Amino acid sequence: HGGELHGASVPRIAFLARLLAEAPDSIKYCTARYDASTLEIAGDFYFQYFGPHRFAFREFAFPEGTYKADLIDTWNMTVTPLEGRFEGRSRIELPSELYYALRIQRVNEDSNAITGE
């Protein structure tokens, strides 16, 4: 019922709050994906949290465009950019560990910048 937070929860909550603050304002919960909590702007930005699930990979069918992905370890509070770019039907390998997330963003190939910025 509230109160003072103790231990490692404070920096982890701050880490996740920062990641969500960096997301576009119009991001919304996606009810079409049931196996992993997903916030998205279809075709531009996806944030999937796997929680206690240990997925070995995720498959996506991206709309037209090129995307970059970051693997997020929410427990150790790290963000690791994945190598390469993703287009169309793509498979993204995951570490099969607890409490990971995936952030996928459409990129503007002309400037290599993320769209919507």
Side-chain angles (χ1 to χ4, degrees):
H1 297 211
E4 185 177 338
L5 297 174
H6 299 279
S9 60
V10 174
R12 287 192 178 98
I13 291 169
F15 174 73
L16 290 173
R18 179 180 58 84
L19 291 176
L20 291 175
E22 292 172 356
D25 290 336
S26 56
I27 195 166
K28 297 199 184 306
Y29 180 74
C30 175
T31 58
R33 302 176 199 274
Y34 296 105
D35 62 344
S37 296
T38 304
L39 300 173
E40 72 176 41
I41 299 171
D44 284 322
F45 187 95
Y46 304 87
F47 190 97
Q48 277 195 340
Y49 176 63
F50 309 126
H53 305 291
R54 295 176 185 232
F55 295 112
F57 63 90
R58 297 299 284 170
E59 290 184 341
F60 294 90
F62 294 117
E64 186 176 326
T66 303
Y67 298 80
K68 72 172 204 147
D70 297 311
L71 184 63
I72 300 166
D73 180 342
T74 63
W75 190 256
N76 293 308
M77 299 175 286
T78 60
V79 177
T80 305
L82 298 179
E83 289 190 33
R85 295 290 192 249
F86 303 93
E87 295 179 338
R89 195 147 190 79
S90 297
R91 178 178 164 132
I92 299 176
E93 300 296 325
L94 299 170
S96 301
E97 298 289 338
L98 296 170
Y99 312 117
Y100 272 77
L102 196 56
R103 177 174 56 190
I104 302 168
Q105 302 170 79
R106 186 179 186 144
V107 294
N108 178 343
E109 285 301 313
D110 294 336
S111 65
N112 206 27
I114 299 178
T115 58
E117 289 187 351

